[in-house]
Amino acid sequence: MSKGFFQISRGLRQGDPFSPYLFVIAMKVFSTFLKRVVDEGFMSGCKVKGRNEEGVQISHLLFADDTLVFFQASQDQLIYLSWLLMWFEAVSGLRINLEKSELIPVGRVENINDLALKFGCRVGSLPSTYLGLPLGAPFKSISVWDGVEERFRKRLAMWKRQYLSKGGRAILIRSTLPNLPIYFMSLLRLPSSVRWRLEQIQRDLIWDGGNLERKPHLVR
């Protein structure tokens, strides 16, 4: 039964299983605030068109402690967002660190530096990383896959693979390596040149092992 407010004597430590539930409750308040601001017309969000002509209006995206807020590049909407964050801090008791935030323009925004200065954050640019994925990257870009190839090579560092038998190298290729690019493939199409390089790394592992000299590949 509800007993009203209670005083907090100690905070939660990092890793406490109760902490994510409190964070979800707090962000539900932020989501409700932002929805009301958009419904009243103070902020616009962005409209994503799908197969139907109406599309979907998106004002924000939340995942864990990462938050994306969409609004037009105008000083009025930035002021409304600042007020909303101030109200959220007062209600939740959480402090928002704007120094870790970025104002990312989509298209050409002439006064982006002035807006960022008034808001108290830095200016970002596209493509930007969100949840490990490059947002705004060209669909056929090859450079965005450099991180995947680097993770491939880290998994197959020389001091690790030289102690694996050929059977162990085959198990590593079948169980671990093919899963590394899957997360990127959920958003981007894997270019054929990148696929060829990743397959070459796996072929070098199975036939070369931990040796530095080049050995012929008996099977592709």
Side-chain angles (χ1 to χ4, degrees), residues 71-82 111 115 118:
F71 60 95
Q72 290 185 356
S74 66
Q75 185 175 354
D76 293 338
Q77 295 201 15
L78 192 65
I79 292 175
Y80 293 136
L81 180 59
S82 301
N111 58 341
L115 294 177
K118 293 179 181 179

Side-chain angles (χ1 to χ4, degrees), residues 55-122:
V56 179
Q57 193 77 14
I58 300 178
S59 58
H60 61 288
L61 295 175
L62 303 175
F63 185 85
D65 58 346
D66 292 322
T67 303
L68 285 178
V69 180
F70 302 94
F71 60 95
Q72 290 185 356
S74 66
Q75 185 175 354
D76 293 338
Q77 295 201 15
L78 192 65
I79 292 175
Y80 293 136
L81 180 59
S82 301
W83 290 350
L84 188 147
L85 295 177
M86 181 181 61
W87 295 335
F88 177 71
E89 287 184 351
V91 171
S92 64
L94 300 175
R95 179 181 175 273
I96 299 175
N97 190 358
L98 293 178
E99 295 180 357
K100 294 183 178 180
S101 303
E102 289 184 345
L103 202 62
I104 301 177
V106 179
R108 183 178 180 181
V109 180
E110 297 180 354
N111 58 341
I112 185 64
N113 293 323
D114 296 336
L115 294 177
L117 182 61
K118 293 179 181 179
F119 192 64
C121 66
R122 61 179 183 269

Side-chain angles (χ1 to χ4, degrees), residues 105-145:
V106 179
R108 183 178 180 181
V109 180
E110 297 180 354
N111 58 341
I112 185 64
N113 293 323
D114 296 336
L115 294 177
L117 182 61
K118 293 179 181 179
F119 192 64
C121 66
R122 61 179 183 269
V123 178
S125 60
L126 293 177
S128 178
T129 303
Y130 179 69
L131 304 180
L133 293 176
L135 296 183
F139 184 71
K140 297 182 179 180
S141 177
I142 298 179
S143 60
V144 297
W145 294 89

Side-chain angles (χ1 to χ4, degrees), residues 14 38-39 45 82 93 112 121 169 184 186 194:
Q14 186 176 6
V38 174
D39 292 341
S82 301
I112 185 64
C121 66
R169 296 196 295 268
F184 263 59
S186 63
V194 177

